[in-house]
Amino acid sequence: MAALLLGAVLLVTQPQLVPSRPAASGMEPNQQELLRKAGTLRDDMQDSGATNSSAQQLPQTIIIGVRKGGTRALLEMLSLHPDVAAAENEVHFFDWEEHYSHGLGWYLSQMPFSFPYQLTVEKTPAYFTSPKVPERVHSMNPSIRLLLILRDPSERVLSDYTQVFYNHMQKRKPYPSIEEFLLREGRLNVDYKALNRSLYHLHMQNWLRFFPLRHIHIVDGDRLIRNPFPEIQKVERFLKLSPQINASNFYFNKTKGFYCLRDSGRDRCLHESKGRAHPQVDPKLLNKLHEYFHEPNKKFFELVGRTFDWH
């Protein structure tokens, strides 16, 4: 219980920014109780020096997506910073009803132990495309800083399919070709869920109902793959972290074909499931994908006030 209360205190004592809209009502009763008790405990903790010890904190930053956008790579790179404490697994608190029903205390229990000066970060890529999540996150903390990593929408669709395809292969289960998902009677199958996940403007509109754009930093996932250091520098600045990550933390692994990390003399790469080759797709079908995303991409660029090098 002490750990839970400490985490809540650290949330309460964060500097608050002006929210984009009033906090949503209906916070879980145990969440209200946790924050109320935290307020009464704050002075005692400061007097006893408890803030110098590690404890679980609610996240001050969440990587909200997008699925197959490079969220794992972003989290691993951000974890190079000594002032970052990252949750190891995807928590799925705000998008899974079973988890959300457990309340804020359960969410706090899923966070890593960290020191008060550290930033706790959680990553669940499904948050970006889940309609209920923005309001729920806003209810917890309207001043939270959000990270969103995006790739070319067409490439993201192919990566989405590839992941599910390999999952079936590992279980020795058959899986249809990507053409069977993308095409229906010769036309693009707009009901394919992977296509919907790449309609970034629709999901972004939902987030901007609750958070101002200045609270959401968009990482260019394609650039992160090609040259990670400049993108991570931007993330450090957005999170107001001291510049601790440098170019020497990255090296290109020719065998794997992408950048790996070097931390205190220890080299590590992403899991072999990352960076898999996409299936061969007929160029005409690829053109259909590019045409389909052309207008949605323009709407997204207008929404966020910047452009990306996408087809």
Side-chain angles (χ1 to χ4, degrees):
M1 177 57 72
L4 296 180
L5 294 176
L6 177 59
V9 166
L10 294 170
L11 173 65
V12 171
T13 56
Q14 290 179 30
Q16 296 295 303
L17 301 176
V18 178
S20 58
R21 55 170 285 174
S25 60
M27 183 179 287
E28 299 291 336
N30 59 339
Q31 297 176 9
Q32 295 175 335
E33 180 67 8
L34 181 65
L35 294 176
R36 185 187 66 78
K37 288 183 178 180
T40 62
L41 188 65
R42 185 188 307 126
D43 293 339
D44 291 342
M45 289 174 57
Q46 290 174 344
D47 292 341
S48 65
T51 53
N52 292 324
S53 60
S54 65
Q56 289 167 296
Q57 304 182 62
L58 290 169
Q60 298 95 344
T61 296
I62 300 178
I63 300 175
I64 59 174
V66 63
R67 170 172 159 151
K68 305 313 296 176
T71 57
R72 172 52 61 180
L74 176 60
L75 186 70
E76 291 292 330
M77 293 174 185
L78 194 53
S79 296
L80 292 168
H81 200 290
D83 293 347
V84 169
E88 199 164 317
N89 301 312
E90 295 176 7
V91 181
H92 286 282
F93 175 65
F94 296 103
D95 63 323
W96 288 3
E97 296 302 324
E98 181 183 356
H99 288 176
Y100 194 69
S101 66
H102 292 321
L104 201 61
W106 180 89
Y107 186 44
L108 179 64
S109 72
Q110 306 304 304
M111 295 301 115
F113 280 81
S114 61
F115 293 100
Y117 63 84
Q118 289 184 303
L119 195 72
T120 298
V121 181
E122 190 244 311
K123 171 190 85 78
T124 301
Y127 287 165
F128 181 58
T129 57
S130 300
K132 293 181 180 180
V133 170
E135 184 173 12
R136 289 176 171 182
V137 173
H138 187 272
S139 295
M140 180 190 73
N141 181 4
S143 300
I144 198 165
R145 292 184 176 270
L146 305 169
L147 293 174
L148 172 65
I149 179 167
L150 300 176
R151 295 175 62 193
D152 181 310
S154 299
E155 291 296 315
R156 200 217 63 80
V157 169
L158 299 182
S159 291
D160 202 317
Y161 168 84
T162 302
Q163 174 175 291
V164 181
F165 171 79
Y166 275 100
N167 287 344
H168 278 71
M169 291 291 290
Q170 289 172 352
K171 298 174 183 176
R172 297 184 179 180
K173 293 181 178 180
Y175 198 65
S177 69
I178 190 168
E179 286 80 6
E180 293 180 67
F181 283 105
L182 286 175
L183 291 176
R184 178 177 293 174
E185 298 179 355
R187 297 186 177 185
L188 207 60
N189 177 18
V190 296
D191 294 326
Y192 181 32
K193 288 184 179 180
L195 286 183
N196 179 269
R197 294 187 188 106
S198 284
L199 295 175
Y200 300 148
H201 73 291
L202 295 179
H203 308 299
M204 193 66 174
Q205 285 172 345
N206 195 26
W207 282 91
L208 291 177
R209 289 175 55 218
F210 297 93
F211 294 95
L213 188 58
R214 67 179 182 276
H215 282 204
I216 307 173
H217 177 70
I218 303 171
V219 180
D220 189 325
D222 298 305
R223 290 187 178 181
L224 188 78
I225 294 171
R226 296 193 301 266
N227 188 16
F229 180 50
E231 285 299 309
I232 289 299
Q233 284 183 304
K234 295 174 188 175
V235 173
E236 280 184 318
R237 289 194 291 269
F238 171 72
L239 298 179
K240 302 186 185 304
L241 293 169
S242 60
Q244 298 283 340
I245 304 173
N246 55 65
S248 64
N249 289 124
F250 306 94
Y251 71 96
F252 189 77
N253 187 307
K254 293 182 179 179
T255 302
K256 293 183 176 291
F258 52 79
Y259 278 88
C260 295
L261 309 181
R262 181 169 288 134
D263 184 16
S264 302
R266 184 171 62 92
D267 295 351
R268 54 191 171 96
C269 292
L270 295 177
H271 189 268
E272 60 182 11
S273 64
K274 306 299 179 181
R276 285 170 171 158
H278 293 167
Q280 291 292 325
V281 181
D282 185 282
K284 292 181 180 179
L285 181 53
L286 274 179
N287 285 335
K288 285 187 177 183
L289 267 182
H290 298 158
E291 290 172 5
Y292 175 74
F293 286 120
H294 180 70
E295 284 302 317
N297 287 348
K298 285 177 61 178
K299 292 179 181 179
F300 180 75
F301 298 162
E302 293 170 2
L303 197 61
V304 301
R306 59 183 283 200
T307 60
F308 294 82
D309 187 21
W310 299 337
H311 288 96

